[in-house]
Amino acid sequence: MSPKTAINQKMNKSFSSNLKTKCAYENEPKYQDHEDFEETPTWAAVVTVLGYAILSALGWLRDFLRHIGFEEKKTAHDPNPKNFVPLYQSYECFYTRNLYTRIRDVFNQPIASVAGAKVHIMERISDDFNWTFKFSGKKIPSINLGSYNYLGFAENQGPCSEQAIKSIEKYGVSTCSTRHELGNQRYMQELETLMAEYLNAEDCIAFGMGFATNALNIPTLVGQGDLILSDRLNHISLILGARLSGATICPFNHNDMKDLESQLRKAIISGQPRTCRPWKKILIIVEGVYSMEGSLCKLPEIIELKKKYKAYLYMDEAHSIGAIGSRGRGVVDYWRVDPNDIDVHMGTFTKSFGSAGGYIAGKKALIDHIRIYSHSACYSTSMSAPVCYQIISALSIIMGRDGTNDGQQRIQQLACNVRYFRRQLVDMGFIVYGNDNSPVVPVMIFMPAKIAAVNREMLKRGCAVVTVGFPATLLTESRVRFCISAGHTKEMLDHALKAMDEVGHLVSLRYSKQKPHRRWIELDRADYDKEYLS
Amino acid sequence: MGSSMARGDIENLATDFFGLFESFKHAPFYHIIIEVSLLLAVVWLLFFRKPRPIEKKLTEKEKQELIDEWQPEPLVPPVDSNHPALNVRVLDGIVGKTVEIDGRKSLNFATFNFLNFVGNQRIADKAIQAVQKYGVGSCGPRGFYGTIDIHLELEERLAKFFSCEEGIIYSYGFSTIASIIPAYSKRNDILFVDEGVHYAIQKGVEASRSHVKWFRHNDINDLERLLAEQDVLDKKNPKKARTIRRFLIIEGLYVNYGDICPLPRMVELKYKYKYRIFIDESVSFGTIGQTGRGITEYYEYSIGSIGGFAVGSSFVVDHQRLSAQGYCFSASLPPLLAAAAIEALNIMEEDHTLLFETIMAKSKRLHKKLLSIKGYIINGDEISALKHLRLTNSLNTVGRLEEIVQFAQSRDITITVARYLTDEHHLPEPSIRLILNVEMTDEELEFLCTVLQEALVKVTA
C-alpha cells in the first residue's frame, strides 16, 4: 500500500468520525505548539559583519576604479543633460552596484511553467558577472520550494482551472469599471458570501490586489488622532497603509506581549503626545504567520489584552489562511478563538488559493463602511472573472462543498509535510526559526556569500529555493526560506532534504548548539516515516 | 581682661589661619583641585541651577482609573444604508459594447472600454491558453519565482511599442503610480502636480512625503509662476538646490476632466528649469495615438486587461525593480492577464492607424453633436473619447444627474455619474462621465444625443 493511500484511509476514518461528534476538534491530534528562535552564535555574527565590511571595502575600491576610468561603468546612464539634479543618491546605489549585482542571478529567476510543486526554471547565463543576462533556452526542472502554494492549488488542470476557463468565455477578462459604477458582478457577491461563511464572519469584501488591500483600507479605518500599535516585523503593506492613514504609529517588539501591554497602558494613561488628549481609538495590527520568521502570533493573549484595554484588532492572515489550523481557517482556527473577537480579518488569495487578490471580513457595519469609503472600491477596476472563479472553486473544495474530501486531505497533507520536513532539518543541526506548525521554514545562513552559494548549489541539485538577505532581513540574519506545499510528495521532500544535507555540509550551515550535527543518513528513517503516516 | 583675651584669640586665630595657609602649600595638588571644585559646585547649586518642577507621579490607582474610564470611538462611524455605493447595480454578463441590466440590453457608455477589447474572442482565447499552461495565480512576488516568461515578454513588447528601452509591469493599476512616485521622490524633493490629477496620483504624492506644489488645472502660466518662485529660492541657496530633485506630475488625458495636457510647452520648461516629467497616460494610451507618449503610464482600461506598467529609459526603470513597493512586495500579475495584454497589443499594432483614427474621428463627431444640445456643458477635448457632461450652473447636482442616468437606463442607454471619494484634494464638480467605444455606430451616437436631450427636458421641467 503506498503511503498516500494509507494516509487517505486514515484521513477518511478521522474525518467521518469528526462529522459524528458535535465538537469538530475533539478527535484531532493535539499539535505541539512550540516556537524556537535559537540565538545567533557569536562567531557567526562576527564573521558575517566582517564579510560585509570586506565587501563594502571592495565596493569602494571598485567605485574608485570606475571613477578614475580604470574600469568600465556598467550601469545605465541618465539620458537627461548633465546639469539636472541626479536622480539617485550615489550611496543608495552602492549596495545595488557592489553587493546585490554580485548575486543578482539568484533573485528574480524567471519560470516557464505553472508555479506548482515542480517548476521549470529558465536558465540564464551572464558573460559580464551578472550585469546582463541571456537566456540559454534550457529549462531546469526543479522542486519548487519557493512559491507560496500551501494547499497546492497552483495547477493548470483540475476543477479550478476549468471553472476559470468557463468564466473567461462567459464574462471576458476584465470589466473595465469600478465597483461603484458598473463593475459589480454577481460572481463577486458570490465570492464574498462564500468567504464570509468560510471565516465565520458577518460579511466580507474582496479586492484585486493583496498589497493594495492593506495600503488602501487601513486609512479608511483610522486617521489622525488614532494610535496604531504594530508589530515590528509587519509586512511593508501594513506599514504603508498605517503611514498613509495619518495615525500615530508605535511599534512593539515582535510577539512580545509584555511590551504590547506596557505600550497600551502608556498610551491610554498619557494620551496623545504634546496635547495629552485621549486617543480616539487604538488599533493593534498583527499578522497570523510572519513570512520571514515563520512565527505565529500569540492570538489568545492579544485578544485578552485587547478586551482588557478596549482596543481593536486587525489581523493580516496572508500566509496563514488555508495553511494553518485543522480546518484551514487560519490562526483563528489554530488557536480555537471566537472569530468575533477579531475586529478586522484581512487576508490574501494569492498564497493558499492559487489566485490573486485580497479580502477584508468582519461585522456588516465595518464592511459597509469600507464599501463606501475604500479607495480601492471607488477607483480601481473590479476583480477579473477567472481570478474570482478560481477562488470560488478552491473554497468549495476546501469546505468540502464539492462532495469530496479533497480539501481536508490537502490540509492534512500540508500539516504532515511541514512536521516531517521541519523535524528532520532541526535534527540535522540546522537553525530553523519559527513555529513547528508553520509552513514557512526559515533556515539560517548568516553570511552574505553563502546566500548565493546555497541558492546555486540547491538549483544544481534540482531544488528551487528562496534565499534572502539584507535589507529584507537584519544584516546578520540572512536565511533560506522554504515554503512547503500540500502538493509536495514524500519523495520530493526526501530529495530536498538530501540536497540540503549535502549543501549544508559543503557550505557549513549547521550552526545549532542545541542539537548535534548529523548527516541525513545518520537519521533514523523509521522514526520519521512512522510519524508521516500517522 | 577682655581685650587681652581678644588679642590672644586673634593671635591664635591668626596663627591658625597661617597654619592653614601653610598646610595648603604642603597639601598635594589634587587635594586643592577637589576642594576648589566642591566650592564651585556649591556656588552653582545655590545660584545658577534652575529649579526643576517636581513631577507629579500618578499612583497605581489613578492609572487604573484612567484606563477604566477611557472609552474609544466605535471602529467605524454609522453608515447611511441609502448610500449609492451600497446599492450598486449587480450585473451578470459581459460588459462590452452592450450590457444586460435586469434582463434588458442597453448601450454601454459608462465603462472604460475604448477599443472594445472586453469580450474580444482573440484575447479570450489567449487568456484561456495561458490558464491551461500556467494556472491562474503566479504564487509569488517577482523576486521569488513569480517572474514568468510571459511577464518578460509583455515588458519587452510594451517597451518596443513605445520606443523606450525598458518596461516594467505591476499587478494593479492603482498601485502602479502610487508606488512609482515614492520610489523616486523622497522627503526633500519637490513635486509640481496638476490639481486635476486623479486619486491614485494624489495617494502616491502623499506616500512620498515630498513638498508638493499644486498648480491650477492645465494652467501653464500658474506652473511657470511656481517654477520661477522655486528658481529664486534656488539661487539663494545653490548648494542645497543641487540636492533637491524636481518632478512634474501630469496626466496625458485627465480622467476627471477629459482634457489634454499641453505637453510641448511643459517639455520646454523642463529643460529650462531642470525637472523630470512623469506622465500618467491611463486614458490617453490607446485612444489618442501620437501625443501623450511619455515616461510613466498605466493601462487598465483600453487594453481590456488589468494591471499597470511604466516605460522609459533603462536608467530610470531599473530603479523600480528594487525600490517600488508595489513591485517588490506584491505577487506578480496573473499570467492570464499578461497574455490578454500581449494579444491586445498585437491587435493594436496590426491595424493601429484604423483603430485610433476611427476613435478620434468619432470622438470629434460626438463632441459636435453634444455641443448642439443646449443646456449641457461638455468638458473635454474634442478628440478625447472620455467626456464629462454637466448641467449649467446651479442645476448641476448629483441628484439631477442621477435622474438623467435613470431615465437613460429606461431608454436602454447605460451611463454613469462619476464617483469620487470625499477626501480628494480638489473635488471635481459632479458630472456624468461619457466614454466612447470605438465600435459605436453613428446611429447609436445619434440615439445617445436624443436620449440626453429628452432627459434634460424631463429634469429641468
Side-chain angles (χ1 to χ4, degrees):
Chain A
M1 193 201 295
S2 78
K4 193 141 191 203
T5 343
I7 299 172
N8 288 355
Q9 284 193 350
K10 286 225 166 219
M11 291 309 122
N12 283 339
K13 267 196 232 157
S14 70
F15 191 62
S16 50
S17 63
N18 282 348
L19 288 175
K20 284 179 202 152
T21 57
K22 276 189 213 156
C23 169
Y25 304 118
E26 260 174 37
N27 287 347
E28 267 154 33
K30 281 260 183 290
Y31 295 149
Q32 259 184 314
D33 180 61
H34 166 68
E35 255 182 41
D36 191 24
F37 297 93
E38 197 181 317
E39 234 184 272
T40 311
T42 325
W43 65 268
V46 168
V47 173
T48 309
V49 174
L50 202 63
Y52 275 108
I54 295 176
L55 282 168
S56 305
L58 277 175
W60 279 317
L61 177 66
R62 297 286 290 276
D63 271 350
F64 175 67
L65 290 176
R66 282 189 205 112
H67 185 70
I68 60 173
F70 194 69
E71 229 189 274
E72 208 187 306
K73 283 197 190 148
K74 296 248 175 68
T75 47
H77 297 293
D78 189 345
N80 282 315
K82 286 279 179 250
N83 53 4
F84 273 59
V85 178
L87 191 53
Y88 314 121
Q89 304 273 35
S90 57
Y91 74 82
E92 269 172 24
C93 302
F94 178 81
Y95 180 80
T96 318
R97 268 199 311 275
N98 298 307
L99 276 73
Y100 178 74
T101 311
R102 282 173 185 272
I103 55 173
R104 207 158 81 101
D105 61 315
V106 311
F107 302 114
N108 294 309
Q109 298 195 49
I111 62 177
S113 69
V114 63
K118 281 213 151 130
V119 71
H120 290 269
I121 310 245
M122 294 169 73
E123 197 189 26
R124 297 188 290 184
I125 313 180
S126 175
D127 299 322
D128 50 1
F129 301 103
N130 293 344
W131 286 101
T132 57
F133 290 112
K134 275 198 292 277
F135 289 109
S136 71
K138 196 171 125 195
K139 299 200 176 29
I140 311 173
S142 343
I143 300 176
N144 187 356
L145 291 161
S147 294
Y148 304 131
N149 180 23
Y150 301 130
L151 289 178
F153 278 112
E155 298 161 330
N156 54 1
Q157 289 162 342
C160 296
S161 37
E162 277 167 30
Q163 284 245 341
I165 290 174
K166 271 197 221 133
S167 74
I168 297 179
E169 284 161 3
K170 184 168 178 205
Y171 297 102
V173 171
S174 166
T175 56
C176 291
S177 182
T178 67
R179 281 301 282 275
H180 281 192
E181 293 173 7
L182 225 59
N184 193 23
Q185 296 265 6
R186 197 187 47 81
Y187 55 73
M188 277 172 225
Q189 293 189 322
E190 204 184 304
L191 168 64
E192 290 171 359
T193 330
L194 199 57
M195 199 64 198
E197 219 185 293
Y198 182 74
L199 295 168
N200 223 336
E202 273 182 27
D203 199 2
C204 173
I205 177 172
F207 302 97
M209 184 200 197
F211 185 99
T213 307
N214 277 328
L216 304 178
N217 289 311
I218 294 182
T220 57
L221 298 174
V222 287
Q224 274 205 335
D226 298 328
L227 176 67
I228 294 181
L229 288 168
S230 93
D231 192 297
R232 235 173 248 281
L233 295 180
N234 270 343
H235 190 255
I236 213 160
S237 57
L238 293 164
I239 298 178
L240 182 64
R243 270 204 2 231
L244 282 177
S245 67
T248 313
I249 309 173
C250 273
F252 63 91
N253 294 331
H254 176 59
N255 261 353
D256 186 348
M257 296 300 113
K258 286 209 184 65
D259 193 24
L260 176 60
E261 181 161 12
S262 76
Q263 296 252 18
L264 274 166
R265 289 183 73 90
K266 199 170 81 173
I268 300 179
I269 292 170
S270 334
Q272 299 188 31
R274 290 179 61 226
T275 56
C276 293
R277 283 197 202 109
W279 293 104
K280 287 201 264 173
K281 46 184 182 277
I282 300 184
L283 184 67
I284 305 175
I285 302 185
V286 289
E287 287 188 47
V289 166
Y290 291 87
S291 58
M292 278 298 157
E293 307 288 311
S295 50
L296 259 63
C297 70
K298 298 192 178 135
L299 197 53
E301 291 156 39
I302 297 181
I303 291 185
E304 209 185 291
L305 279 176
K306 159 196 126 84
K307 283 188 179 157
K308 189 169 162 194
Y309 295 100
K310 294 175 259 184
Y312 298 110
L313 181 58
Y314 183 106
M315 168 87 88
D316 178 345
E317 293 206 69
H319 285 267
S320 52
I321 192 73
I324 299 272
S326 49
R327 292 181 307 143
R329 315 274 160 127
V331 277
V332 172
D333 188 21
Y334 179 86
W335 289 112
R336 299 176 193 173
V337 294
D338 181 7
N340 290 322
D341 284 336
I342 299 174
D343 302 287
V344 189
H345 300 252
M346 178 266 165
T348 62
F349 299 119
T350 329
K351 282 95 188 174
S352 303
F353 302 101
S355 186
Y359 68 84
I360 289 193
K363 296 253 172 351
K364 189 156 190 321
L366 167 75
I367 302 297
D368 280 345
H369 174 88
I370 294 184
R371 273 191 217 281
I372 300 175
Y373 293 107
S374 163
H375 311 283
S376 189
C378 187
Y379 292 106
S380 298
T381 312
S382 45
M383 282 171 90
S384 162
V387 163
C388 277
Y389 271 98
Q390 161 83 13
I391 306 169
I392 293 176
S393 48
L395 270 176
S396 320
I397 293 178
I398 297 176
M399 289 164 84
R401 295 271 169 97
D402 61 334
T404 66
N405 65 345
D406 187 28
Q408 200 61 25
Q409 270 178 29
R410 284 177 193 253
I411 298 172
Q412 304 285 14
Q413 178 76 32
L414 176 65
C416 256
N417 283 353
V418 166
R419 273 203 309 275
Y420 183 72
F421 197 75
R422 266 183 178 267
R423 264 195 69 201
Q424 293 194 50
L425 278 179
V426 169
D427 290 342
M428 282 201 268
F430 295 105
I431 296 187
V432 180
Y433 273 10
N435 193 299
D436 278 352
N437 296 308
S438 96
V440 171
V441 186
V443 173
M444 302 310 285
I445 307 180
F446 300 120
M447 288 146 211
K450 293 190 186 178
I451 300 175
V454 168
N455 200 302
R456 291 172 191 152
E457 290 299 317
M458 288 295 275
L459 193 59
K460 275 191 209 150
R461 289 166 177 79
C463 296
V465 299
V466 161
T467 44
V468 273
F470 183 77
T473 61
L474 292 179
L475 191 71
T476 53
E477 290 184 7
S478 326
R479 60 201 71 179
V480 52
R481 186 187 71 175
F482 295 102
C483 289
I484 309 295
S485 158
H488 288 136
T489 60
K490 187 164 174 293
E491 290 76 37
M492 290 186 204
L493 291 180
D494 283 338
H495 182 99
L497 284 165
K498 265 188 262 191
M500 192 62 193
D501 169 56
E502 275 175 40
V503 171
H505 181 72
L506 200 66
V507 170
S508 322
L509 289 179
R510 290 179 163 85
Y511 294 110
S512 176
K513 287 195 191 143
Q514 292 169 359
K515 290 255 175 172
H517 299 176
R518 289 192 285 184
R519 298 297 305 266
W520 195 71
I521 39 175
E522 293 166 18
L523 297 172
D524 179 11
R525 297 253 55 83
D527 187 25
Y528 301 108
D529 290 350
K530 190 176 72 180
E531 237 223 50
Y532 193 81
L533 297 176
S534 68
Chain B
M1 193 69 112
S3 57
S4 65
M5 277 282 269
R7 207 183 301 130
D9 282 335
I10 292 170
E11 268 178 16
N12 283 339
L13 224 50
T15 337
D16 286 340
F17 269 130
F18 190 64
L20 204 61
F21 283 135
E22 283 291 301
S23 68
F24 270 147
K25 270 201 264 177
H26 291 127
F29 191 58
Y30 68 86
H31 193 112
I32 301 180
I33 299 283
I34 292 176
E35 297 231 359
V36 167
S37 340
L38 278 173
L39 194 65
L40 286 174
V42 168
V43 167
W44 177 75
L45 275 171
L46 281 176
F47 295 113
F48 293 110
R49 196 186 75 156
K50 289 200 177 44
R52 240 182 267 142
I54 302 168
E55 263 180 37
K56 252 192 333 168
K57 282 220 149 162
L58 296 172
T59 62
E60 282 308 314
K61 182 159 169 285
E62 283 171 335
K63 286 187 187 169
Q64 195 53 44
E65 272 176 15
L66 278 172
I67 292 177
D68 292 334
E69 279 170 13
W70 181 67
Q71 274 299 119
E73 279 181 7
L75 186 56
V76 288
V79 287
D80 174 21
S81 53
N82 291 326
H83 194 283
L86 293 178
N87 300 305
V88 269
R89 298 177 264 212
V90 182
L91 309 170
D92 190 21
I94 285 198
V95 185
K97 182 178 161 193
T98 57
V99 58
E100 194 173 311
I101 298 182
D102 298 331
R104 282 173 69 157
K105 264 207 170 78
S106 46
L107 284 174
N108 177 10
F109 285 97
T111 60
F112 291 85
N113 184 17
F114 301 106
L115 301 175
N116 203 23
F117 281 156
V118 174
N120 184 309
Q121 196 52 46
R122 273 173 64 177
I123 294 182
D125 285 339
K126 273 283 161 30
I128 291 176
Q129 274 174 31
V131 174
Q132 285 165 338
K133 185 172 177 200
Y134 301 108
V136 175
S138 58
C139 297
R142 289 293 290 257
F144 305 149
Y145 305 111
T147 306
I148 306 181
D149 49 2
I150 210 167
H151 293 144
L152 299 173
E153 197 189 320
L154 178 58
E155 287 180 355
E156 261 179 57
R157 289 293 304 278
L158 283 167
K160 213 170 70 175
F161 185 78
F162 287 97
S163 322
C164 286
E165 281 179 3
E166 219 179 303
I168 177 172
I169 52 179
Y170 289 79
S171 46
Y172 204 54
F174 193 104
S175 66
T176 307
I177 192 74
S179 304
I180 289 180
I181 299 178
Y184 294 105
S185 184
K186 311 279 177 199
R187 231 184 250 266
N188 292 328
D189 303 327
I190 302 182
L191 293 170
F192 296 97
V193 193
D194 186 304
E195 266 183 350
V197 291
H198 66 83
Y199 200 71
I201 299 183
Q202 291 170 32
K203 285 292 137 189
V205 157
E206 248 182 71
S208 72
R209 301 198 267 198
S210 319
H211 299 299
V212 188
K213 298 203 189 284
W214 301 93
F215 63 92
R216 269 194 300 273
H217 175 59
N218 259 354
D219 187 348
I220 200 97
N221 296 325
D222 200 26
L223 173 62
E224 265 205 82
R225 174 185 64 90
L226 286 171
L227 288 167
E229 275 172 22
Q230 183 60 35
D231 206 33
V232 165
L233 284 168
D234 287 342
K235 293 215 164 50
K236 284 197 200 138
N237 194 346
K239 196 157 172 236
K240 186 167 168 221
R242 253 180 277 135
T243 58
I244 302 177
R245 294 177 281 240
R246 302 129 222 278
F247 299 97
L248 173 69
I249 305 191
I250 46 177
E251 288 186 47
L253 184 69
Y254 289 88
V255 181
N256 295 342
Y257 294 93
D259 42 10
I260 301 180
C261 72
L263 193 58
R265 185 85 183 96
M266 290 184 166
V267 173
E268 256 179 59
L269 288 175
K270 163 187 164 162
Y271 287 107
K272 181 172 173 206
Y273 290 100
K274 304 191 197 10
Y275 55 77
R276 295 166 203 266
I277 303 183
F278 283 3
I279 298 190
D280 179 339
E281 296 196 69
S282 30
V283 183
S284 50
F285 169 52
T287 60
I288 303 294
Q290 290 303 313
T291 60
R293 281 187 185 193
I295 309 173
T296 10
E297 289 204 30
Y298 85 72
Y299 70 78
E300 187 120 333
Y301 310 127
S302 62
I303 211 165
S305 185
I306 296 183
F309 67 88
V311 287
S313 61
S314 297
F315 177 77
V316 175
V317 169
D318 231 2
H319 180 73
Q320 287 171 43
R321 292 195 197 275
L322 277 183
S323 35
Q325 290 180 348
Y327 178 84
C328 302
F329 299 106
S330 172
S332 50
L333 187 65
L336 67 104
L337 299 172
I342 293 179
E343 190 55 26
L345 269 179
N346 286 342
I347 300 179
M348 279 165 76
E349 282 183 344
E350 268 170 25
D351 46 45
H352 76 270
T353 43
L354 243 44
L355 255 182
F356 300 156
E357 270 184 21
T358 322
I359 198 171
M360 284 200 277
K362 284 196 183 164
S363 307
K364 272 198 208 145
R365 286 206 287 274
L366 179 62
H367 200 88
K368 262 206 214 78
K369 288 201 196 82
L370 288 170
L371 281 174
S372 66
I373 310 177
K374 296 259 175 343
Y376 281 122
I377 305 178
I378 314 292
N379 265 110
D381 218 87
E382 59 168 13
I383 56 165
S384 143
L386 182 151
K387 300 182 199 298
H388 282 262
L389 222 63
R390 296 196 169 92
L391 293 169
T392 47
N393 305 327
S394 55
L395 289 173
N396 193 32
T397 60
V398 177
R400 287 212 181 79
L401 292 173
E402 289 283 359
E403 272 185 52
I404 298 179
V405 167
Q406 272 175 15
F407 178 78
Q409 189 58 47
S410 67
R411 300 290 303 271
D412 295 332
I413 295 249
T414 305
I415 46 180
T416 181
V417 175
R419 301 242 180 258
Y420 307 106
L421 286 178
T422 45
D423 62 337
E424 284 241 8
H425 173 82
H426 188 77
L427 194 63
E429 298 269 322
S431 65
I432 292 179
R433 191 194 296 129
L434 267 183
I435 296 180
L436 177 65
N437 186 322
V438 72
E439 306 249 334
M440 292 289 181
T441 61
D442 277 326
E443 290 83 36
E444 284 159 346
L445 295 179
E446 260 316 321
F447 183 49
L448 168 71
C449 295
T450 323
V451 168
L452 284 172
Q453 188 135 37
E454 287 176 28
L456 184 64
V457 166
K458 184 164 185 278
V459 160
T460 52

